[in-house]
Amino acid sequence: LWTGQQLKNPNFGVSSHVPFESSHDDVKTYQILQVGDKIQLSPSLKLESRLGYANASLESKLQQGVQRQSGIELFKGIYSGTTPLQLIGTRDRIDFVAVLQHKADGPLRLWGRDFSAKNGLQVGVGWEELFSSNKYTAYDNLNLRFFNGMPYAIVMLNTPSKARQRVRHLSLFIQNNTLFSDLFALDIGLLLQSSVGWLAGGQETTRLQSALPAQNQPSSDDLIRWTTLSPRVGIVVPVSNRTAVRASYARYYHQLLATYLDFQNPAALRGKVFLWNDKNADRKFQLGEQGKLLSVFGGQYSKIDPDLKAPFTDEVTVGADFDFGGRVQLGITLLHRYEQRLVETTNIGVPPSAFSPVKIIDRGGDDKLGTFDDQEFIVYNQDSTTLGRDFYLLTNPAGFRDFYQGLEIDARSKDWVPGLYFHFSFAAFMIVGMASQEGEALEYDQGAIGNLFDTPNTLINADNRLFFDRAYLGKIAAAYQLPWDVQISGVAKYYDGLPFGRKLIVRGMNQGPFYILATPRGNRFPPSEKQGGHRVEFNLTLDVGIEKVVLFGEQRIGVRLDIFNLLNCNNNTRESDLSGPKFESRLPLEIQAPRVLRLGVKYEF
């Protein structure tokens, strides 16, 4: 089987804050090739194997003809000039898996009774090899930073930079499914996996004696090596002909990401941040305008903890399934996920002892002193002698975890009303934990490496609702078969808004301006009398489609009209979160996409 795909977006990233000149000319090309085989060794024994190759070519280029240094307005995310970085990258994956399956049926005698039993056993091995490369370039090898519209700092980059990573996964798994007549069904599985990551092609790793004790320096080229054992067990017990209860437990270890290896690769993207004295006020950087060094970041200034461990998720579910006459099914599930030992950087070059506490006043969401929502905060001023001494350790910070709790309901019917298919799903949940505050696209995403533990200021109100917490989700999907081979279908979706906290910009510190979260993100957890956070507006969309099929022997031609966002709803999907006189106006930064019509033709033969 081969499949290929190319996606072109000549203005990728354009938004209310990103003009066309600052967007990417984006082209992504994917190729996938798979070869598989099945061998029936005996009536009860089968061997399946698969060999696959996948390639991705990623190009995010600067817009042609734009020759202006890239700039961004701090905290507002307003871009100017070219896009900050151009990327040319590749991803290659080779994987092989072989599974031996054994099925057996037979009688089983328990408690003096005879039962029928079915057992399915699978034993498999897997091998996966991943190759990744990223080449970054930036116009004039720098980015500009503005604050309140004025030149503030420059970021000098080591572009063009090219880093290559390699990751290998080896796995052995066993799974057994047993059905004991009408007593219960039991599913047990175990996965043993070894993951190794290293830099490809003889690239040197960062080895700074001042960063870590010499005895902790890795003795081989393997920067990360994990061996994990993941158990899984589930049981289903019927309590009547139409009702069954179920429960399960599973542990999932997170994948070793190739991007982790950049934290010990001097060839990876890195930069130095300097104050900017724009002497001629032309808003362009020239030699001689470079000021004091503020901070450094990137591969040369970071290292991977030799004792870095694989993060994991424990998941427990309890649920019940109901069958109302065979045409309507209902499922209810309670679940709890607990992610532990998550991965982040800590700034061991500038530890917490390099900061001194300073008391500040927050004027609240109304931006008025003396009102009910005023607050006091302790923020932290960096010792000026430590500026630029940053050195980051990729590690498992103590206490870095999050959890997910939720209720899910799923109901569906087919032909309860002749010709009608109906599906309803609903979820009420919360995702609570700590996450980085850096970068708009990665804010509050616990899977993204950012600035969470890099300074004491990033920990203020850091533990609360995460990016993917939408509190309540609902979806109704329906399809109805009309006469004359005409089908009409529709999907209605609802979800609560993005959680966010009000950001308070702090000025006058040695390290320059930064922001803290003056409120938690979303609803405060656990609830308290203190100020809660915020959510943007809820989102509701209705998409409908109608299709007419014409038959020509064994050939089919379908003509379809789809209408997305039929009601043309325009609620906010992102709102301004900076403290100030306009905060309570809920100014939108992004809104729902408008109504879109799509006409398509499908030919089957």
Side-chain angles (χ1 to χ4, degrees):
L1 172 69
W2 169 87
T3 182
Q5 185 181 58
Q6 187 173 77
L7 307 176
K8 295 184 178 181
N9 191 336
N11 56 352
F12 181 77
V14 165
S15 71
S16 58
H17 282 47
V18 182
F20 172 78
E21 67 174 10
S22 303
S23 67
H24 288 104
D25 183 1
D26 195 77
V27 179
K28 294 182 173 66
T29 304
Y30 303 95
Q31 309 280 346
I32 299 175
L33 176 66
Q34 285 190 355
V35 179
D37 192 24
K38 296 180 182 180
I39 302 176
Q40 195 71 41
L41 302 175
S42 73
S44 61
L45 194 63
K46 180 172 63 174
L47 176 65
E48 292 189 12
S49 58
R50 186 188 73 248
L51 176 65
Y53 170 73
N55 167 265
S57 175
L58 314 174
E59 295 186 4
S60 292
K61 297 183 177 181
L62 312 182
Q63 294 295 350
Q64 190 173 5
V66 180
Q67 296 183 343
R68 288 179 55 201
Q69 294 171 350
S70 175
I72 185 173
E73 176 72 22
L74 289 178
F75 314 121
K76 295 182 180 179
I78 301 174
Y79 286 81
S80 59
T82 69
T83 188
L85 287 170
Q86 174 178 268
L87 167 66
I88 298 178
T90 60
R91 307 287 186 269
D92 293 276
R93 184 184 70 192
I94 304 173
D95 68 295
F96 172 77
V97 63
V99 182
L100 187 64
Q101 304 179 29
H102 180 268
K103 293 184 178 181
D105 300 343
L108 179 69
R109 188 169 183 81
L110 290 175
W111 306 300
R113 295 175 55 192
D114 291 327
F115 299 95
S116 62
K118 295 182 178 181
N119 191 78
L121 175 66
Q122 295 185 0
V123 179
V125 295
W127 164 71
E128 186 177 47
E129 203 85 9
L130 305 172
F131 305 85
S132 175
S133 71
N134 296 297
K135 181 179 180 181
Y136 289 102
T137 55
Y139 185 79
D140 278 355
N141 299 323
L142 57 83
N143 293 162
L144 308 177
R145 293 181 177 178
F146 299 89
F147 180 54
N148 285 339
M150 301 299 295
Y152 168 68
I154 59 166
V155 183
M156 289 191 169
L157 302 167
N158 67 326
T159 58
S161 69
K162 185 173 183 180
R164 292 169 291 157
Q165 309 89 10
R166 190 169 175 180
V167 176
R168 176 179 298 151
H169 302 293
L170 299 175
S171 57
L172 171 66
F173 62 89
I174 182 170
Q175 178 174 314
N176 192 80
N177 308 95
T178 305
L179 176 63
F180 291 102
S181 187
D182 58 351
L183 290 178
F184 62 89
L186 182 65
D187 179 14
I188 299 176
L190 200 61
L191 170 64
L192 175 65
Q193 187 171 59
S194 172
S195 300
V196 182
W198 69 98
L199 301 181
Q203 298 172 99
E204 295 297 325
T205 62
T206 303
R207 295 180 182 275
L208 296 183
Q209 298 296 328
S210 61
L212 288 174
Q215 62 268 25
N216 285 339
Q217 299 285 357
S219 59
S220 71
D221 293 332
D222 300 341
L223 297 182
I224 303 176
R225 179 180 289 272
W226 292 340
T227 300
T228 59
L229 187 64
S230 307
R232 184 180 76 241
V233 60
I235 187 170
V236 179
V237 179
V239 295
S240 71
N241 291 335
R242 295 184 177 180
T243 304
V245 296
R246 47 187 162 78
S248 68
Y249 163 78
R251 170 167 289 188
Y252 306 100
Y253 282 91
H254 300 192
Q255 288 290 315
L256 195 166
L257 302 181
T259 52
Y260 289 171
L261 304 173
D262 282 346
F263 286 89
Q264 199 157 325
N265 186 357
L269 184 68
R270 67 178 185 272
K272 296 181 178 181
V273 182
F274 296 90
L275 285 175
W276 177 18
N277 179 16
D278 188 19
K279 298 177 180 179
N280 57 7
D282 64 352
R283 301 174 69 86
K284 298 178 183 178
F285 174 76
Q286 289 98 19
L287 292 177
E289 296 182 346
Q290 174 183 323
K292 181 172 61 174
L293 178 65
L294 295 178
S295 62
V296 297
F297 63 90
Q300 185 177 350
Y301 310 107
S302 56
K303 195 170 183 66
I304 300 170
D305 188 342
D307 297 321
L308 183 71
K309 295 179 174 59
F312 62 89
T313 299
D314 285 328
E315 179 182 86
V316 178
T317 69
V318 178
D321 297 307
F322 307 90
D323 189 337
F324 299 98
R327 292 185 177 180
V328 179
Q329 292 84 38
L330 172 67
I332 301 176
T333 303
L334 295 170
L335 55 89
H336 179 93
R337 296 191 188 105
Y338 192 35
E339 291 188 323
Q340 302 182 65
R341 218 162 60 189
L342 297 176
V343 175
E344 251 293 359
T345 56
T346 58
N347 193 345
I348 59 177
V350 185
S353 58
F355 294 83
S356 56
V358 178
K359 182 185 293 186
I360 64 170
I361 301 297
D362 169 32
R363 296 159 61 99
D366 59 7
D367 198 43
K368 297 177 182 178
L369 278 175
T371 55
F372 73 98
D373 58 355
D374 292 358
Q375 302 179 91
E376 286 187 356
F377 282 101
I378 300 296
V379 298
Y380 299 89
N381 188 20
Q382 185 176 342
D383 184 343
S384 61
T385 62
T386 66
L387 294 174
R389 294 186 181 180
D390 310 275
F391 194 85
Y392 301 93
L393 179 67
L394 186 71
T395 187
N396 308 106
F400 190 24
R401 81 294 172 267
D402 64 61
F403 71 87
Y404 173 109
Q405 288 181 341
L407 163 70
E408 297 179 356
I409 299 175
D410 187 272
R412 65 186 66 206
S413 71
K414 185 175 182 180
D415 294 331
W416 185 32
V417 174
L420 175 67
Y421 170 80
F422 179 85
H423 183 199
F424 167 79
S425 59
F426 171 80
F429 64 94
M430 60 181 174
I431 312 175
V432 176
M434 294 189 292
S436 169
Q437 303 169 10
E438 191 173 45
E440 292 179 20
L442 303 177
E443 276 190 321
Y444 320 146
D445 182 350
Q446 72 275 29
I449 306 299
N451 66 348
L452 178 59
F453 294 97
D454 294 346
T455 80
N457 295 303
T458 58
L459 297 176
I460 297 172
N461 274 326
D463 195 1
N464 230 268
R465 306 296 179 117
L466 294 174
F467 181 87
F468 297 101
D469 183 319
R470 292 299 189 273
Y472 298 102
L473 301 174
K475 183 174 75 172
I476 298 175
Y480 186 65
Q481 187 66 46
L482 296 168
W484 308 293
D485 290 321
V486 175
Q487 185 182 73
I488 185 170
S489 57
V491 178
K493 293 178 290 186
Y494 169 90
Y495 54 90
D496 271 1
L498 171 75
F500 69 94
R502 178 169 56 82
K503 296 175 181 176
L504 176 65
I505 297 175
V506 180
R507 303 169 175 83
M509 303 295 161
N510 294 328
Q511 65 267 42
F514 59 88
Y515 74 80
I516 63 170
L517 287 178
T519 67
R521 302 180 302 270
N523 316 80
R524 183 179 288 275
F525 181 86
S528 73
E529 296 180 358
K530 296 182 179 180
Q531 289 189 48
H534 307 271
R535 286 186 183 273
V536 300
E537 293 180 315
F538 69 86
N539 275 248
L540 175 66
T541 59
L542 174 62
D543 306 328
V544 298
I546 184 168
E547 182 176 6
K548 165 64 178 174
V549 176
V550 180
L551 302 177
F552 297 94
E554 296 182 355
Q555 303 175 63
R556 297 163 54 95
I557 296 179
V559 180
R560 183 177 180 88
L561 173 66
D562 290 297
I563 306 175
F564 302 97
N565 193 6
L566 176 67
L567 304 180
N568 207 29
C569 295
N570 61 349
N571 284 359
N572 300 343
T573 58
R574 188 164 161 255
E575 296 174 353
S576 176
D577 53 10
L578 294 178
S579 297
K582 296 183 179 180
F583 175 78
E584 293 186 339
S585 299
R586 308 290 294 266
L587 298 177
L589 300 179
E590 296 176 4
I591 61 174
Q592 290 179 253
R595 183 187 299 121
V596 174
L597 280 70
R598 181 179 67 185
L599 182 65
V601 178
K602 179 172 62 176
Y603 175 55
E604 299 179 6
F605 57 94

